[in-house]
Amino acid sequence: MAPPFSWLRPEPHGLHVVPADAWVDPARAVDTALVTHGHADHARGGHGRTVATPETLAIMALRYGVMEAGSQPVGYGETVTLRGDVRATYYPAGHVLGSAQILLEHAGERVIITGDYKRRPDPTCPPFEVVPCDVFVTEATFGLPVFRHPPIAQEMGKLLAVRENEAGRCVLVGAYALGKAQRVIAELRAAGFTDTIWLHGAMERMCRLYEDHGVDLGDLRPVAGVPKAALANAVIVCPPSALNDRWSRRLPNPVTAMASGWMRVRQRVRQRNVELPLVISDHADWDELTATIADVNPSETWITHGREEALLRWCELTQRRARALALAGYEDEDD
C-alpha cells in the first residue's frame, strides 16, 4: 500500500501530481499545468495544456502569449477530472484577479495548494475561502513575526496626506503591474479619491484587462504626451523600475512612493530611494499565515517559497505536523 500523499511529489521545479502526470505552477514547460495565478513565477508559457481560471488565462495571454488552443478555463467552485482519478477544484485565494487555491483529491485524500494568498479584503478580487483538507500547502513570503501589515486605509491616508501637503508636486507610486497597481487604484477610489489617476505606459493594458473583468478603477489616463504642469498634484502609478529612472525626470518634482510589503524593512526603503514607503502587500502577513493554518486545521502543513523556517517552528510549537518544501524558481513579485 502506498504511503499517504505519495501521489503528490515535491520536485525542484514544482509539485508533481503523479497519477495525472500534471504539475502545479511548474517552473518549466510541461504537458499539463495547473496554474494558481498569473504572476510570472507561477505562470509560464509553453505548456501543452494550461488549466486555470478564465481571468488567469486572460492574464497569461496578455503577458506571455499563452494560446487559447492549450487553455482550459475553470471557474471558482468548478471541478476538473484529470487522469489517474485525480480531481482538481479551484477556490478563490484573494491574491490578485483570478488567483486560486487548488484542491486536489485522490484516493480519499485532500490537498489544498494555495499558490499565493492573503486574507485581507481586496476590491479587485474575491476573498480567500477556507477549504477543509488533509494537507495544506502554504506560501511563506512574509513568514516572520516582524511582518504585520498595517490597515490599507492607513497607507492610503498617508498617500493622500502627502499629496495634499506637497502642493505643486506629484505623487509617483511604484507598484507591481499585476495586482498591486490595480489594488492601490481601487483602494484610492474607496478612500474617496475621484480625480484622474495617471499611468505609466507599462501599466495600462493590465488595468484595462481588470476593467474588462468588471473591476471599476475610475478615470485612468496615460501620462505620455501630457504637459508637465498638468501633472502637478497628480497621482501617477508606474512600475517600481521607473521610480528613479529617466522617465520620472519629466514629472513635476515627484514624491516617490513604493507599495510593497517589503517597505516594512528600512534597508529596502533606502535601496529603492523611496520618500514615501507604503506597506501594502498582496501576500498574507505573519498573523494571516498562522491564523489560516489554524482555520484550515489540516493534518499536515507543507510550507514553500518564503521564510519557511519560522513558520515551520511555529507549527512545531503549536503541535502541528509540518514540513518545508525545497521548490526552486519562486520569486517575490511583491517588490
Side-chain angles (χ1 to χ4, degrees), residues 58-80:
I59 290 166
M60 293 178 69
L62 177 65
R63 303 187 93 194
Y64 320 122
V66 174
M67 303 305 294
E68 290 185 7
S71 300
Q72 181 174 352
V74 185
Y76 291 131
E78 185 178 342
T79 299
V80 172

Side-chain angles (χ1 to χ4, degrees), residues 231-313:
L231 296 171
N233 301 319
V235 174
I236 303 168
V237 182
C238 71
S241 60
L243 276 177
N244 294 293
D245 72 1
R246 183 178 301 176
W247 174 86
S248 67
R249 296 174 197 165
R250 62 177 297 272
L251 303 176
N253 191 18
V255 177
T256 55
M258 174 80 181
S260 169
W262 294 110
M263 292 295 98
R264 174 71 73 188
V265 181
R266 291 179 181 177
Q267 184 180 1
R268 298 260 187 153
V269 176
R270 290 194 297 268
Q271 286 173 344
R272 287 285 190 182
N273 194 24
V274 168
E275 200 171 339
L276 176 62
L278 301 171
V279 184
I280 301 171
S281 178
D282 288 327
H283 294 263
D285 67 5
W286 174 259
D287 290 335
E288 291 173 83
L289 289 168
T290 55
T292 302
I293 294 170
D295 288 346
V296 176
N297 196 27
S299 301
E300 188 170 346
T301 300
W302 295 359
I303 306 165
T304 184
H305 62 284
R307 282 70 197 160
E308 300 173 352
E309 296 80 5
L311 198 54
L312 181 62
R313 180 60 176 158

Side-chain angles (χ1 to χ4, degrees), residues 18 33 47 66 80-81 97 120 156 243 275 305 333:
V18 178
H47 306 306
V66 174
V80 172
T81 301
L97 181 70
R120 312 237 176 157
M156 292 297 99
L243 276 177
E275 200 171 339
H305 62 284
E333 76 280 347

Side-chain angles (χ1 to χ4, degrees), residues 164-199:
E164 184 72 21
N165 296 331
E166 298 287 345
R169 304 179 70 183
C170 67
V171 181
L172 181 61
V173 183
Y176 196 79
L178 167 55
K180 186 67 60 61
Q182 296 77 24
R183 185 181 178 205
V184 167
I185 293 167
E187 293 288 359
L188 279 171
R189 301 307 188 196
F193 185 74
T194 58
D195 291 4
T196 298
I197 294 176
W198 301 87
L199 301 178

Side-chain angles (χ1 to χ4, degrees), residues 33-48:
L34 312 178
V35 177
T36 60
H37 66 282
H39 280 138
D41 57 336
H42 292 258
R44 294 169 169 84
H47 306 306

